[in-house]
Each structure stands twice: as C-alpha cells, then as structure tokens.
C-alpha cells in the first residue's frame, strides 16, 4: 500500500535523552556518526538542541543535492547559526536568510573571487615564513597553535587591512575573544541562557567592546582614507561595494561581516592545515612527493590533491544545517516544518562507492577524479556555500608550500591523532605534533609583506 504523503515522519534514529546525544555528537562527532549510520542506514534522525522534530542527517549525495538546490525560502541556514549572534551581530551573512542574506552575500562575494587570490600570496608567504623561522629544530612542536597564529595574522592583515601599532591591540583583543568563543563551555552557556541574556553579561560586553573599540574607528577612518581605491585588503573593497539600490554597507554591517569572516575563516583554515600536517607526516611518500613538487617549482597538482584529500578525510566542519520552513519530502519521508535537515559532510566523504578505501589518506585519488558538487562538500553548498573557499584553499596551499619548502618534516609511525571537537571546528587531538628535522635554505627571494 502506498504511504500516506500527508503524514509527516522523520527517519528513525537512536533513542535516549537529548543531552546524551548532544554530548556524544559534540565529543565524538566522526565515530559517533559512523556508528549511528551503521545501525540506522543512510538517513537517520538525531535528537539535538533546536529544530522541532529532530535533526535529519542525510548522507546520500542525491538527498544532499535536494537540499543544496532547494528553495532558500524553505531551507533556512540563519536560524541554525543563531548561537553566534552575540559575537557576530545581527547583520552577519551567516545569520540571515532569504533576501537580506542574498544582499549581504552579493556584497561580500567579489573580493573573494578566485582570480583575486594571487594578490594575497606575498603577504601570506611572509607571515608563514616569520612564524616558521622561530620553530625549534629536532624537538616536538605542536603545529596547531602556530597555524592559528598564522591564519589570524592573515585575516587581520589581508581581510581587515590593519597594519602597524594597531595590529598588536587588535591581536590581543581578538585572541582573548576567540579563546572564549571557541570554548565549548561558552557555547553551553549561550545555549542555556539564550543569546540575548548571554549578550547582556558584563564580561561578554567588555570583551566585545574591546574589539569594537578598535574595529569601528578603523572602519570609519578607512572610509575616509585617501588611498581607499588603491588598497587591496578586503575591508577596503567592501567599503566601496554597493547593493542593487546603490547603497553601501553601514559601519555596523561591516563590523558584523568582519567578525563573520574572522570566525568562519580563522580556525577552519588553521585546523585544516593542522590535519594536512598530521596526515602528511604519517604518509612519507605523499610528503616526499609534495616536497619534490614544491622545491622543484612544478605546477601544484600534488598540492591540490593533498589539500582536497585532507578536506575530504578530515572535514573540520562535519555537518551543515538547514531549518525547513514547510514540510519537505526527502528520502521517502515527509519531514515536518521546523525540523532540521543536515547534509553530513563527514559521512558523504566516507562513501565507499565514491571513495574506495574511504578511511585511507590517498591524495592520488584526486589525480583522475574531480571534486563532485554533492560528493566533495567541505565548504557546504548551494546559496550558502562557503564564501571563502578559494581564499582558504589558496591559503592552505601557500602556507603548506612554505613549510615544506623551508623545512624537512620528520615522518612518524605513531598512530593518527584522534579528532577533538572545539566549539566550531574539529581539530587533531594532539594539536598536530610535528618534528622539524632540518631547515633548508630559502628557495625563493624575500617578498614584500603588503597586499597587492
Ligand atoms: C578550510 C577552511 C574552511 C572551511 C572548511 C569552511 C567551511 C565552511 C562551511 C561548511 C560553511 C557552511 C556552508 C553551508 O552552509 O552550506 C561555510 C560558510 C562560510 N564561510 Fe567558510 N570555510 C573555510 C574557510 C573560510 C574562510 C577563509 C572564509 C573567509 C575569510 C570563510 C567564510 C565563510 C562565510 C562568510 C560563510 C557563510 C556563507 C553564507 O552563509 O552565505 N570560510 N564555510
């Protein structure tokens, strides 16, 4: 008998209290999701906070496609990100939906076009070199904090365009704030208090004010800068952008988008770089091939493959979330309005029919395979696809290139580092411990550290 399509239902999933699933999902995301899939199949429902009717996980690329190509009026992403409201502010592209989202997205997109990336190369290289130059030789070194420092510096200079003495003030204000924000306890506090009450806490207001007191005057000053049109940093480009009605972004909108770019782009890239190092030192052949390619100045075919494979196997964001605004039919279920549908990046990337031997790190699989729109989704998809994808890939390649060009990395037979959850992204649990074997002479001349 045919199913009655007027009856809403979600696919089955594990029973038990919401708190139990939240903890397991947050703590053990990758292994927990694999266990649930093994038991319930490709489509399952988890009880997690928010989303009336549960979180419906999708792992079949056909279902992922349905979400990514679905009507943005039905598939909202903004609600799912509301936990970030106190930090990002209400204008953030991450928190908006429908027409307001589209407006902000159109304003933000042009500076992130792939063609513009070469203009950031010298700056990225120099920042990486300055950090690497300090690394001790022959001793274990946790790469992750260094990757964090490099990507923060890149955002402050390439995106915010801040230089000179103000850089130190901004760095300390941001480090303090980001340290708090990415702390799972903070996320729990926001979930318990709600975004509005959390924002009113004195300590939170003080920390946000410390950042705003630097950013807002910087935005106002930059707006008046005589060299605005010649500057290459992203804030300067955004200041000149106008929407279809000829309106530029207000200072407050710009502040919120800068915080968004920082939060979305800093830790994600640092963690992806850390995973790349963690994988490479356990795969001597892949590392050797990368070193040869970089040092011989060949085209970056293998580097591309290494980055794609790292983002496939170790996706720092393991899911994307859409809250549905009307009943939707997916995977043979009529999912009720208010539930969340969740393309699961991690499990899509582990499908054996797309990626044979899916748990293995094999960059060579990308030599004769191009990333599919719905099968390689580390940057999500559709109208919400990561705005900084080209920037992030370019940054990963530039920094990794600088590391393997100027350093010999010692390989290891130690087991892989377990995944550790931070508030926003997944990171190697041992902070990507490496040993730098030997420093090699710089293969390329010193480069000026400005945004071209
Ligand atoms: C390897 C590094 C990165 C990864 C893995 C990553 C991943 C993601 C993912 C999964 C999403 C959600 C997409 C969706 O909902 O379908 C996203 C959104 C976004 N990302 Fe990234 N990201 C990275 C780096 C960056 C960088 C460097 C920037 C900017 C400097 C950036 C800016 C954004 C923005 C603004 C959005 C929101 C887009 C929207 O809602 O329209 N990301 N990113």
């Amino acid at each position: 008998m045919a199913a009655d399509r007027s009856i809403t239902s979600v696919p089955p999933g594990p029973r038990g209290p919401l708190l139990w699933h939240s903890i397991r999902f947050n703590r053990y995301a990758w292994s927990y999701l694999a266990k649930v899939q093994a038991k319930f199949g490709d489509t399952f429902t988890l009880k997690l906070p928010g989303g009336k009717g549960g979180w419906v996980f999708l792992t079949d690329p056909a279902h992922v496609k349905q979400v990514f190509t679905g009507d943005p009026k039905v598939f909202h992403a903004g609600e799912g990100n509301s936990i970030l409201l106190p930090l990002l502010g209400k204008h953030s592209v991450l928190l908006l939906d429908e027409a307001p989202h589209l407006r902000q997205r159109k304003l933000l997109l042009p500076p992130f076009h792939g063609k513009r990336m070469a203009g950031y190369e010298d700056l990225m290289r120099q920042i990486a070199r300055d950090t690497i130059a300090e690394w001790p030789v022959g001793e274990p070194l946790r790469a992750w904090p260094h990757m964090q420092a490099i990507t923060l510096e890149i955002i402050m200079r390439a995106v915010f365009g801040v230089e000179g003495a103000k850089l130190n003030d901004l760095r300390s204000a941001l480090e303090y704030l980001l340290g708090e924000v990415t702390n799972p306890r903070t996320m729990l506090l926001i979930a318990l208090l709600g975004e509005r009450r959390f924002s009113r806490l004195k300590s939170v207001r003080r920390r946000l004010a410390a950042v705003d007191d630097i950013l807002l005057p910087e935005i106002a000053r930059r707006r008046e800068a005589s060299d605005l049109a010649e500057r290459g940093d992203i804030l300067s480009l955004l200041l000149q952008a106008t929407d279809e009605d000829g309106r530029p972004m207000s200072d407050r909108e710009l502040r919120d988008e800068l915080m968004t770019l920082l939060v979305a782009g800093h830790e994600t890239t640092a963690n992806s770089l850390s995973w790349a190092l963690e994988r490479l030192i356990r795969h001597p052949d892949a590392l050797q091939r990368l070193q040869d390619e970089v040092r011989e100045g060949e085209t970056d075919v293998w580097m591309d493959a290494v980055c794609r494979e790292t983002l496939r196997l170790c996706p720092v964001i393991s899911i994307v979330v859409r809250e549905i605004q009307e009943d939707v039919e997916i995977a043979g279920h009529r999912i009720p309005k208010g539930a969340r549908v969740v393309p699961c990046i991690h499990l899509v990337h582990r499908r054996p029919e797309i990626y044979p031997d899916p748990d293995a790190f094999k960059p060579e699989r990308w030599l004769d395979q191009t990333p599919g729109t719905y099968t390689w989704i580390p940057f999500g998809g559709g109208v919400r696809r990561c705005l900084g994808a080209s920037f992030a890939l370019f940054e990963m390649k530039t920094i990794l290139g600088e590391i393997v060009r100027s350093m010999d990395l010692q390989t290891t037979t130690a087991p892989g580092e377990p995944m550790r959850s931070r508030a926003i992204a997944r990171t190697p649990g041992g902070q990507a411990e490496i040993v730098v074997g030997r420093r090699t002479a710089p293969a390329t001349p010193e480069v000026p550290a400005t945004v071209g």
Side-chain angles (χ1 to χ4, degrees):
M1 210 168 63
D4 181 349
R5 291 282 171 226
S6 66
I7 297 173
T8 56
S9 73
V10 292
R15 290 160 186 255
L18 182 139
L19 189 62
W20 167 246
H21 292 298
S22 307
I23 292 171
R24 299 197 72 196
F25 172 64
N26 279 315
R27 225 184 144 107
Y28 310 109
W30 295 352
S31 57
Y32 177 60
L33 289 172
K35 272 187 206 145
V36 179
Q37 185 191 31
K39 186 154 181 206
F40 292 94
D42 280 349
T43 316
F44 53 85
T45 305
L46 285 186
K47 284 191 222 163
L48 294 170
K52 289 178 233 104
W55 295 45
V56 179
F57 279 65
L58 308 169
T59 65
D60 180 329
H63 303 146
V64 171
K65 179 175 180 184
Q66 211 182 321
V67 175
F68 285 168
T69 56
D71 186 348
K73 289 197 186 91
V74 177
F75 296 93
H76 276 191
E79 273 105 354
N81 294 326
S82 60
I83 200 151
L84 294 169
L85 179 73
L87 174 70
L88 304 185
K90 64 179 181 185
H91 303 292
S92 163
V93 69
L94 266 170
L95 305 182
L96 299 171
D97 279 301
E98 303 191 32
H101 167 255
L102 212 62
R103 173 185 184 264
Q104 289 306 108
R105 195 171 159 96
K106 277 191 187 158
L107 285 164
L108 289 170
L109 259 174
F112 286 99
H113 195 282
K115 286 196 187 128
R116 288 197 43 81
M117 293 307 117
Y120 302 117
E121 182 173 353
D122 290 351
L123 177 67
M124 289 177 178
R125 253 186 218 295
Q126 193 60 57
I127 291 172
R129 277 186 192 176
D130 291 347
T131 306
I132 297 166
E134 306 289 316
W135 287 1
V137 172
E139 289 170 26
L141 167 90
R142 294 179 167 203
W144 179 72
H146 297 269
M147 298 302 112
Q148 292 265 86
I150 292 175
T151 60
L152 180 61
E153 204 72 12
I154 288 175
I155 298 228
M156 287 193 304
R157 294 169 69 184
V159 178
F160 294 11
V162 173
E163 293 289 342
K166 279 172 285 174
L167 209 54
N168 286 337
D169 295 343
L170 183 61
R171 190 182 301 110
S172 34
L174 286 177
E175 275 172 354
Y176 196 40
L177 187 70
L178 287 170
E180 282 298 306
V181 164
T182 49
N183 183 335
R185 280 195 307 267
T186 309
M187 290 290 153
L188 188 66
L189 197 61
I190 303 178
L192 289 174
L193 290 180
E195 293 96 33
R196 283 182 205 291
R197 276 171 65 203
F198 176 82
S199 308
R200 285 200 289 267
L201 294 178
K202 211 167 153 191
S203 59
V204 175
R205 279 188 290 143
R206 207 179 45 237
R207 261 158 232 182
L208 282 170
V211 172
D212 288 358
D213 287 350
I214 302 171
L215 278 189
L216 287 168
E218 180 67 27
I219 294 169
R221 236 189 334 266
R222 193 80 59 79
R223 211 183 266 291
E224 303 304 322
S226 54
D227 64 345
L228 183 65
E230 290 95 62
R231 292 180 62 107
D233 61 84
I234 287 176
L235 170 59
S236 297
L237 297 169
L238 293 177
L239 274 161
Q240 298 167 73
T242 52
D243 65 12
E244 281 159 3
D245 302 324
R247 273 188 308 140
M249 275 188 260
S250 68
D251 286 6
R252 197 70 216 178
E253 281 176 316
L254 280 161
R255 177 269 174 214
D256 290 358
E257 299 310 1
L258 288 185
M259 289 307 286
T260 303
L261 297 174
L262 170 75
V263 168
H266 157 59
E267 178 147 348
T268 43
T269 314
N271 290 3
S272 301
L273 277 162
S274 305
W275 279 117
L277 292 171
E278 189 273 350
R279 288 291 81 202
L280 281 169
I281 57 168
R282 287 168 176 80
H283 294 83
D285 293 348
L287 177 60
Q288 185 63 51
R289 198 163 165 180
L290 188 66
Q291 230 157 33
D292 293 346
E293 182 182 89
V294 169
R295 291 184 186 175
E296 280 154 33
E298 291 170 11
T299 48
D300 58 0
V301 177
W302 188 250
M303 175 68 89
D304 242 341
V306 165
C307 292
R308 280 179 191 168
E309 182 66 348
T310 302
L311 292 166
R312 178 194 74 82
L313 190 64
C314 314
V316 296
I317 308 277
S318 40
I319 56 171
V320 294
V321 183
R322 306 286 187 262
E323 191 158 303
I324 52 172
Q325 306 302 304
E326 58 184 56
D327 295 358
V328 167
E329 266 194 60
I330 298 183
H333 295 268
R334 193 173 168 83
I335 301 171
K337 174 181 170 180
R340 291 182 173 177
V341 289
V342 185
C344 182
I345 300 173
H346 166 68
L347 292 177
V348 169
H349 286 182
R350 300 284 176 121
R351 291 188 74 95
E353 78 280 15
I354 304 164
Y355 303 108
D357 197 4
D359 299 336
F361 179 72
K362 288 188 169 174
E364 58 272 23
R365 69 172 90 240
W366 295 106
L367 297 179
D368 55 9
Q369 185 175 3
T370 43
T373 314
Y374 308 108
T375 52
W376 186 76
I377 52 170
F379 297 109
V383 293
R384 308 301 298 221
R385 186 172 188 270
C386 175
L387 271 167
S390 299
F391 190 92
L393 274 172
F394 188 82
E395 188 176 352
M396 278 180 76
K397 289 192 211 172
T398 308
I399 295 167
L400 265 186
E402 215 41 58
I403 294 173
V404 299
R405 190 194 324 275
S406 52
M407 296 285 182
D408 276 345
L409 294 173
Q410 271 180 21
T411 57
T412 177
T413 52
E417 293 187 16
M419 184 223 78
R420 187 179 148 224
S421 278
R422 297 194 16 110
I424 295 171
R426 319 292 178 186
T427 191
Q431 303 199 349
E433 190 171 286
I434 56 172
V435 177
V436 175
R438 178 173 62 91
R439 225 183 285 278
T440 57
T444 45
E446 286 295 311
V447 283
T450 52
V451 178

